[in-house]
């Protein structure tokens, strides 16, 4: 089945232009830098861009930059006076991301903030950020619950929050310690009782195998 998922993603790539030279360049640079190819798929990257457009996002927060692939997709949806902050713990990844964002001519809109997200998030206000229209959480899974709490603090009515990798080949419902599953499950436990956000989760297959994302709109 995995081969079929990949082939269908390639079909979408051709028909729907889920990539372009800039994005292909970013993927190559990220790969050449020896980083793991764990960024979102092409179709998923474009979906993030479309979601940001749907809500007319003017401010975006990303937790977990990696090589800047999803960052660039999201930043492309911003108007000229828009702003995006993206937080990356690994200095080498942050460096690759800065270069990739510059190659996409989006450096003026995107603030790549280096450091542990839990250290940097409390200081975003000092950098002039207050509320974000869209927040994408895609960093270390162990801190997902804390990241969601911060995302809610930085939200307004209608803010969209998206969390990557919440299915992990279906392991989310298994009694396993692998792939930070217990921490991902904590996220669902929190949402089960949290009245501040309406959410759903979608299982996905494709280029990146079987996984899924969570999305919600803040009440
Ligand atoms: C993996 C995939 C991701 O999208 C991510 O954010 C972290 C890890 C993985 O496949 O291991
Ligand atoms: Mg991810």
């Amino acid at each position: 089945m995995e081969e079929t998922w990949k082939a269908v993603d390639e079909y979408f790539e051709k028909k729907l232009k889920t990539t372009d030279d800039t994005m292909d360049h970013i993927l190559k640079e990220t790969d050449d830098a020896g980083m793991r190819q764990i960024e979102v798929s092409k179709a998923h990257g474009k979906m993030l861009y479309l979601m940001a457009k749907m809500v007319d996002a003017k401010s975006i927060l990303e937790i977990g930059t990696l090589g800047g692939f999803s960052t660039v997709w999201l930043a492309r949806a911003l108007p000229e006076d828009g702003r995006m902050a993206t937080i990356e713990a690994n200095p080498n990844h942050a460096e690759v991301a800065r270069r990739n964002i510059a190659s996409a001519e989006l450096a003026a809109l995107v603030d790549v903030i280096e450091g542990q997200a839990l250290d940097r998030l409390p200081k975003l206000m000092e950098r002039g950020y207050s509320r974000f229209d869209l927040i994408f959480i895609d960093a270390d899974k162990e801190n997902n619950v804390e990241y969601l709490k911060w995302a809610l603090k930085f939200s307004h009515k209608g803010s969209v929050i998206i969390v990557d990798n919440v299915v992990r080949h279906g392991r989310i419902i298994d009694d396993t310690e692998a792939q930070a599953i217990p921490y991902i499950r904590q996220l669902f436990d929190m949402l089960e009782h949290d009245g501040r956000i309406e959410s759903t989760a979608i299982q996905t297959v494709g280029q990146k195998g079987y996984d899924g994302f969570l999305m919600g709109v803040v009440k």
Side-chain angles (χ1 to χ4, degrees):
M1 277 314 284
E2 300 245 8
E3 283 312 306
T4 308
W5 302 341
K6 283 202 177 81
V8 171
D9 258 350
E10 280 161 22
Y11 176 74
F12 292 159
E13 182 175 332
K14 181 156 159 270
K15 294 292 178 186
L16 307 175
K17 299 186 179 61
T18 56
T19 192
D20 53 44
D21 291 347
T22 305
M23 286 303 173
D24 287 343
H25 174 77
I26 290 173
L27 291 176
K28 184 174 182 308
E29 288 293 310
T30 307
D31 192 26
D32 288 352
M35 292 160 66
R36 289 176 64 215
Q37 293 171 303
I38 55 167
E39 65 279 314
V40 295
S41 73
K42 294 170 182 176
H44 195 159
K46 188 166 180 187
M47 184 197 74
L48 293 172
Y49 159 78
L50 292 171
M51 282 177 160
K53 284 208 140 184
M54 283 177 207
V55 294
D56 198 14
K58 293 181 173 60
S59 54
I60 299 176
L61 170 65
E62 178 180 62
I63 305 175
T65 316
L66 200 67
F69 180 74
S70 48
T71 319
V72 167
W73 266 122
L74 285 164
R76 278 180 169 183
L78 287 170
E80 267 176 36
D81 61 345
R83 197 100 199 103
M84 174 162 181
T86 181
I87 308 176
E88 175 54 49
N90 181 314
N92 299 325
H93 295 179
E95 186 54 41
V96 172
R98 281 198 188 95
R99 278 207 307 274
N100 284 335
I101 293 161
S103 76
E105 295 180 6
L106 288 164
L109 298 187
V110 183
D111 207 1
V112 179
I113 302 169
E114 219 175 283
Q116 292 293 333
L118 290 181
D119 293 334
R120 296 293 177 259
L121 286 162
K123 295 179 185 129
L124 282 180
M125 298 264 191
E126 291 165 20
R127 289 175 176 260
Y129 294 101
S130 56
R131 295 278 181 268
F132 295 96
D133 302 321
L134 186 147
I135 298 158
F136 180 48
I137 301 172
D138 190 17
D140 55 303
K141 313 310 171 197
E142 288 76 2
N143 287 311
N144 265 345
V145 165
E146 292 308 311
Y147 297 154
L148 180 59
K149 287 182 189 166
W150 276 105
L152 287 163
K153 272 186 206 151
F154 281 116
S155 289
H156 53 73
K157 183 176 182 301
S159 289
V160 171
I161 300 176
I162 305 162
V163 187
D164 194 28
N165 311 114
V166 299
V167 176
R168 313 261 65 193
H169 286 87
R171 291 193 190 102
I172 185 65
I173 56 165
D174 289 347
D175 182 19
T176 171
E177 301 281 312
Q179 289 184 296
I181 293 297
Y183 298 96
I184 302 173
R185 207 176 289 127
Q186 281 177 9
L187 200 60
F188 287 92
D189 292 341
M190 176 178 164
L191 289 168
E192 185 178 2
H193 303 290
D194 200 296
R196 291 174 290 178
I197 179 168
E198 288 185 290
S199 49
T200 189
I202 299 294
Q203 304 181 63
T204 55
V205 294
Q207 246 187 4
K208 302 280 162 170
Y210 169 35
D211 209 330
F213 63 91
L214 191 136
M215 63 163 291
V217 175
V218 177
K219 288 199 219 165

